[in-house]
Amino acid sequence: MKSTTQTSLFIFFLCIIFYAPLPSISISLYESLCNEYNNPSRNIQLCLNILKTDPKITSATNYHDLSQHILEKAAQDSQVVFQDFQQAKKRFPNDPAINSCIKEYTDTVIQGFVDAMSSLPVEPKKSRESAIAAGFGANNCQKGFEKPEEKKVLATIHLRNNEIYFLGVIASLSIIHLI
């Protein structure tokens, strides 16, 4: 009897030891999402750099919250880029690329991210489509600045516009986990 009790206690303590959480090297959900992006590692680093600036994104523990926070960041950042384009228009009032981007942001980008946020809880597929449309809107804007005569746009606006496009792509990649 004594041997059985000792054996049972030994097994019990082994179970507790092996059940105890061990420190592990794990990556956060947003890092995992960036690693899913199938482009060169340079873009993975870009993804990490853009997303790590928002503590709500870095602390998200599920794809719904992660998607919501990415969409919020995209909507806020797209408003800032839109304002940058409006400032650039004051300097270059007749510039067709700037005017095109203002229209693209008004019609597609900002509204796309707003629609994506509102439809995320009930229709993730529609939310993903809206995020993709918003990203393509930023990409359409970018195409206007590829013409040699349009290179006068400020480099910061160009970079921020690329980030908006990228946020649309990453948001849609995150939302796909909810479908």
Side-chain angles (χ1 to χ4, degrees), residues 2 12 115 121 151:
K2 198 173 196 181
F12 174 74
D115 291 347
K151 296 283 184 185

Side-chain angles (χ1 to χ4, degrees), residues 1-177:
M1 193 80 157
K2 198 173 196 181
S3 173
T4 306
T5 305
Q6 288 176 343
T7 303
S8 296
L9 281 173
F10 178 74
I11 292 172
F12 174 74
F13 285 117
L14 277 178
C15 289
I16 289 177
I17 289 170
F18 287 113
Y19 180 74
L22 298 173
S24 63
I25 299 174
S26 64
I27 61 174
S28 65
L29 193 58
Y30 88 97
E31 291 170 317
S32 174
L33 181 66
C34 288
N35 285 322
E36 286 179 33
Y37 188 67
N38 290 329
N39 264 349
S41 60
R42 172 180 80 78
N43 287 334
I44 292 172
Q45 194 57 50
L46 173 66
C47 177
L48 293 171
N49 289 341
I50 292 172
L51 297 184
K52 75 180 176 184
T53 61
D54 188 332
K56 291 186 288 186
I57 291 173
T58 59
S59 62
T61 57
N62 61 65
Y63 280 105
H64 180 274
D65 291 348
L66 180 62
S67 300
Q68 183 69 33
H69 297 316
I70 292 171
L71 290 170
E72 288 169 1
K73 178 174 180 46
Q76 291 168 355
D77 288 1
S78 64
Q79 287 283 350
V80 172
V81 174
F82 176 71
Q83 290 169 1
D84 290 343
F85 279 123
Q86 287 183 316
Q87 290 300 316
K89 182 181 171 108
K90 291 177 183 174
R91 290 180 50 206
F92 308 105
N94 298 321
D95 187 299
I98 291 173
N99 290 329
S100 173
C101 285
I102 288 173
K103 182 170 177 23
E104 198 70 54
Y105 268 73
T106 302
D107 296 348
T108 309
V109 179
I110 295 169
Q111 191 59 48
F113 287 127
V114 169
D115 291 347
M117 283 190 297
S118 65
S119 61
L120 181 66
V122 290
E123 293 181 84
K125 186 176 180 183
K126 181 179 178 187
S127 176
R128 181 171 183 260
E129 291 166 359
S130 296
I132 290 170
F136 280 143
N139 190 49
N140 290 341
C141 172
Q142 182 59 35
K143 289 177 184 175
F145 290 104
E146 291 173 357
K147 299 173 188 162
E149 67 273 10
E150 303 301 339
K151 296 283 184 185
K152 60 189 170 196
V153 71
L154 300 174
T156 53
I157 297 176
H158 168 75
L159 268 171
R160 293 302 308 258
N161 183 62
N162 283 344
E163 288 178 8
I164 300 303
Y165 166 71
F166 196 75
L167 283 168
V169 171
I170 293 301
S172 69
L173 188 59
S174 180
I175 296 167
I176 205 165
H177 289 275

